Amino acid sequence: MAGTTMMTTKMMSSAPGMTPGQSVTSQPPQPSTSLPLRTIPGSYGWPLLGPISDRLDYFWFQGPEKFFKNRIEKHQSTVFRTNVPPSFPFFRVNPNVIAVLDCKSFAHMFDMDIVEKKNILVGDFMPSVKFTGNIRVCAYLDTAEPQHAQVKNFTMDILKRGSKVWVSEFLSSLDTMCYNLETTIKEKGSASFLLPMQKFLFEFLCKAFVGADPSTTPEIAKSGHFMIDRWLALQLLPTVHVGVLQPLEEIFLHSFSYPFFLVGGGYKKLQNFILEQGKEVVERGQKEYGLSQEETVHNLLFTLGFNAFGGFSLFLPGVINRVVSDETGLQEKLVKEVREKGSQGLSFDSVKEMELVQSVVYETLRLDPPVPIQYARARRDFQLSSHDNVFDVKKGELLCGFQQLVMKDPKVFDEPETFKPDRFVGEGKKLLNYLYWSNGPQSGSPSESNKQCAGKDHVTLSAALFLAYLFSRYDSISGDSSSFKALVKAT
């Protein structure tokens, strides 16, 4: 089970979305008449051979980041044509994409007048709808589809209502996790926090988002997070660079889609748990938003499991890793700020006053986005501009943005490869206009008319609350992205 959890967490780094919605408050830059028009460089190669060659580079010989970096250098352009996995002959998908790898070109993917998001959560590949109860959940709906507004509004409403207990449930579950970790460290000298963190996340999210308490159902309390792990894993395996021994990864992980029946039993138990323990929320979806019971339950499960649980499972370990690996005195600064600004207790309001805490969260999202790849399909012909050129994009062409490179745009971010904890402090807050982890800028707002993450602010504030909690409880922590070696209690 631990292996499944670690693999799923790894795979979520390529899963495009922590919540089913996504947005932007301003339009992307319009093509400048001063920029030269250029034909999009690159090619898709010979049928079958081109996609297979790119697939092997992407998964095996280069890895995703080097794959895109090499092509930027080759074409001298942050916009080019290439193939992304999965591809023929194993999948009936079109792997052809236009890569957009700078902030200016990437931002076009948020303009719903020129792009659509129908069935492209992970590019042209779409897992079987059996994984979501034969329902196309909100993540696969385009804003032009009437159902999108119903589900998006329902999701935002549930998040708003859940805010009443969000912080208290978060801190209560976190208390339990930290106490158990301290006990383990005392007994064994170190403690892995990946599984305890997933258990904490599952418990807290069920209570705050769905109003369902896992402790009322012993099997769900014990194994609910494992059920979601396996459900996530089977959907994402064909698209993710896991890093296990090749060619085994290519043969067993990237050559076919795994069938739903392998996780169908666990998913059914989760579905019944939501129906029985989250009755009020399910009924609200039906009565207030006109959704069927099936639509309500499967959208709730997707948001809870794929978006929130999966995203947090990757993101929070990344925050810890950045803090414990810092050698500039960051922990001492965090302790000082947290105890000054949080002296009256921790809440969303108090962490909003902690500029450094929030900046660390934002900087982690910049360098380690839990949603590194975003996709959008051209709704019509339009002109796309990078910093250097203008390109003609045709209706139906698929845009692909690898955010780990986009967020290192040297024309936007100073020393883009360096982790700067205070990058977003003071005047640096202007850079939030270019922090795109949520399928829109951090300065944007989710709505029914866009695809920005419905829980964007809950994510960043919860991560800030998590960091503030650690440094209100501990003077220092040591470890890495998967385990704690020491937790020095506050004196």
Side-chain angles (χ1 to χ4, degrees):
M1 286 185 176
T4 302
T5 299
M6 294 180 71
M7 181 176 287
T8 305
T9 301
K10 172 91 173 178
M11 290 192 300
M12 283 307 298
S13 69
S14 293
M18 290 176 71
T19 51
Q22 306 147 359
S23 127
V24 70
T25 54
S26 59
Q27 298 298 315
Q30 297 302 307
S32 170
T33 55
S34 63
L35 294 175
L37 178 66
R38 181 182 177 185
T39 299
I40 299 175
S43 71
Y44 303 126
W46 291 97
L48 292 182
L49 297 180
I52 289 175
S53 175
D54 284 344
R55 168 193 163 179
L56 293 177
D57 279 346
Y58 187 92
F59 282 136
W60 190 343
F61 303 125
Q62 297 173 353
E65 186 161 353
K66 189 175 181 182
F67 174 90
F68 288 112
K69 277 185 175 179
N70 285 358
R71 284 154 180 76
I72 289 176
E73 294 173 4
K74 177 181 178 181
H75 302 303
Q76 291 297 294
S77 174
T78 52
V79 177
F80 54 83
R81 297 185 185 278
T82 189
N83 300 289
V84 293
S87 60
F88 290 109
F90 309 106
F91 297 89
R92 302 178 70 177
V93 300
N94 183 353
N96 303 163
V97 300
I98 299 171
V100 287
L101 301 174
D102 64 87
C103 285
K104 192 173 182 182
S105 63
F106 187 83
H108 290 77
M109 295 207 296
F110 313 138
D111 184 350
M112 301 313 298
D113 289 332
I114 60 175
V115 300
E116 65 168 332
K117 302 277 189 171
K118 183 177 181 179
N119 296 342
I120 58 163
L121 185 66
V122 279
D124 202 52
F125 169 74
M126 181 177 175
S128 169
V129 291
K130 291 181 180 179
F131 283 95
T132 51
N134 292 311
I135 298 292
R136 286 176 60 240
V137 293
C138 191
Y140 294 109
L141 298 175
D142 180 58
T143 53
E145 298 178 80
Q147 197 80 350
H148 178 269
Q150 289 176 275
V151 181
K152 184 71 174 287
N153 285 329
F154 169 61
T155 303
M156 291 190 293
D157 178 54
I158 296 305
L159 283 167
K160 182 178 179 180
R161 288 175 172 270
S163 296
K164 299 174 183 177
V165 297
W166 190 280
V167 172
S168 60
E169 293 294 353
F170 186 94
L171 295 177
S172 175
S173 296
L174 192 50
D175 261 334
T176 301
M177 184 191 85
C178 286
Y179 174 80
N180 291 335
L181 288 172
E182 290 164 11
T183 301
T184 302
I185 292 173
K186 187 175 181 179
E187 294 174 352
K188 300 181 179 180
S190 66
S192 171
F193 57 72
L194 292 181
L195 286 176
M197 179 176 289
Q198 288 202 317
K199 190 173 180 61
F200 136 65
L201 287 169
F202 179 73
E203 177 183 300
F204 137 70
L205 287 167
C206 284
K207 292 179 180 178
F209 186 68
V210 189
D213 185 352
S215 67
T216 60
T217 311
E219 186 177 10
I220 296 297
K222 179 181 178 181
S223 304
H225 54 303
F226 291 123
M227 294 174 185
I228 290 182
D229 270 331
R230 290 189 287 265
W231 173 75
L232 284 168
L234 264 61
Q235 295 178 76
L236 298 173
L237 278 171
T239 68
V240 177
H241 175 249
V242 179
V244 300
L245 183 65
Q246 292 286 15
L248 298 181
E249 179 176 332
E250 290 311 294
I251 295 171
F252 295 107
L253 303 186
H254 300 148
S255 294
F256 50 85
S257 294
Y258 282 81
F260 170 68
F261 76 81
L262 294 175
V263 293
Y267 187 79
K268 183 66 175 179
K269 291 174 182 177
L270 290 168
Q271 181 182 345
N272 289 337
F273 169 67
I274 298 296
L275 277 169
E276 293 169 7
Q277 302 301 323
K279 288 181 181 178
E280 183 180 344
V281 172
V282 174
E283 289 177 359
R284 185 167 183 79
Q286 295 175 263
K287 295 179 181 179
E288 300 294 329
Y289 293 91
L291 301 172
S292 69
Q293 184 183 84
E294 290 74 18
E295 289 169 334
T296 305
V297 171
H298 295 298
N299 273 286
L300 283 170
L301 262 176
F302 193 89
T303 303
L304 172 71
F306 196 104
N307 305 134
F309 175 84
F312 274 127
S313 292
L314 179 75
F315 177 40
L316 293 183
V319 172
I320 291 173
N321 187 51
R322 289 292 177 178
V323 171
V324 298
S325 62
D326 178 85
E327 298 179 351
T328 66
L330 174 60
Q331 293 196 34
E332 291 86 346
K333 295 174 184 176
L334 289 171
V335 166
K336 184 175 185 295
E337 181 178 70
V338 167
R339 295 179 190 177
E340 286 180 356
K341 301 292 178 63
S343 59
Q344 301 303 310
L346 295 178
S347 65
F348 278 173
D349 286 336
S350 66
V351 297
K352 286 177 183 178
E353 301 299 317
M354 302 176 190
E355 283 193 312
L356 181 59
V357 167
Q358 289 194 83
S359 183
V360 169
V361 169
Y362 296 143
E363 182 72 340
T364 302
L365 284 167
R366 184 183 73 85
L367 289 174
D368 309 312
V371 188
I373 294 188
Q374 298 278 359
Y375 294 93
R377 192 178 300 281
R379 195 182 296 274
R380 57 177 173 81
D381 294 355
F382 71 93
Q383 284 197 321
L384 177 146
S385 58
S386 66
H387 293 302
D388 305 310
N389 297 101
V390 174
F391 306 90
D392 286 326
V393 175
K394 300 298 182 183
K395 179 180 178 180
E397 292 191 300
L398 189 64
L399 306 180
C400 168
F402 186 68
Q403 293 194 117
Q404 285 174 304
L405 289 183
V406 175
M407 295 292 92
K408 295 176 184 175
D409 187 337
K411 295 189 177 181
V412 174
F413 299 101
D414 180 49
E415 297 183 62
E417 300 282 345
T418 302
F419 179 78
K420 291 188 171 184
D422 60 351
R423 186 184 296 274
F424 295 93
V425 171
E427 286 296 306
K429 289 179 182 178
K430 294 178 181 179
L431 292 172
L432 294 177
N433 292 317
Y434 304 96
L435 184 62
Y436 294 145
W437 72 273
S438 62
N439 209 347
Q442 182 60 30
S443 55
S445 299
S447 74
E448 65 180 48
S449 61
N450 62 43
K451 294 293 290 180
Q452 187 157 29
C453 173
K456 170 183 74 72
D457 295 327
H458 281 71
V459 170
T460 53
L461 288 172
S462 295
L465 190 65
F466 176 79
L467 200 55
Y469 175 90
L470 289 180
F471 288 103
S472 66
R473 185 177 182 114
Y474 306 113
D475 284 336
S476 67
I477 60 178
S478 62
D480 52 37
S481 60
S482 64
S483 63
F484 288 129
K485 291 182 173 58
L487 295 169
V488 180
K489 293 292 287 289
T491 54

